Amino acid sequence: QVQLVESGGGLVQAGGSLRLSCAASGSIFSINAMGWHRQAPGKQRELVAAITDGGSTNYADSVKGRFTISRDNAKNTVYLQMNSLKPEDTAAYYCYADGVKAGIHFYSWGQGTQVTVSS
């Protein structure tokens, strides 16, 4: 089983920055894509950003130009640098990993980390 451990959430004022990290651990596996979703109270979970093992990235329109996703393949870790944060970015952020282990596809989620942006 591939486990994802997130860190870096917290409370920040509007205009501030936070950096989220997510490390994957477990026995031998390969990860194709990693990324972040978020879910605000009363709203559906939405994709924030994703990155492939080749470095291709994808962002939600609402975060383009403010958030940057990066990845350290050697450490199986993905990062989300969030700048110019807005109150509407307040949500629980969930890391995910999409890959293969022992020939079987997996899709794992982290436990979530709360990001709160005050106005």
Side-chain angles (χ1 to χ4, degrees):
Q1 184 176 1
V2 178
Q3 295 182 326
L4 303 179
V5 178
E6 300 149 339
S7 61
L11 172 65
V12 65
Q13 289 187 332
S17 299
L18 283 174
R19 187 189 193 215
L20 306 183
S21 300
C22 173
S25 64
S27 56
I28 298 173
F29 56 87
S30 64
I31 298 177
N32 300 321
M34 297 184 78
W36 299 86
H37 284 71
R38 68 185 180 186
Q39 187 166 20
K43 295 187 177 181
Q44 289 187 330
R45 187 174 293 192
E46 62 174 353
L47 176 67
V48 177
I51 185 167
T52 68
D53 55 354
S56 297
T57 58
N58 182 39
Y59 295 93
D61 288 342
S62 59
V63 307
K64 285 181 180 176
R66 301 187 297 121
F67 291 10
T68 302
I69 190 169
S70 61
R71 178 173 170 174
D72 185 334
N73 290 332
K75 296 181 179 180
N76 288 316
T77 299
V78 64
Y79 306 94
L80 186 67
Q81 178 66 44
M82 305 184 293
N83 299 328
S84 302
L85 282 161
K86 304 175 180 180
E88 50 263 44
D89 294 317
T90 295
Y93 284 69
Y94 298 90
C95 171
Y96 78 89
D98 181 353
V100 177
K101 178 176 178 178
I104 299 174
H105 174 261
F106 70 85
Y107 200 99
S108 295
W109 289 96
Q111 79 283 1
T113 186
Q114 180 66 35
V115 171
T116 302
V117 184
S118 62
S119 58

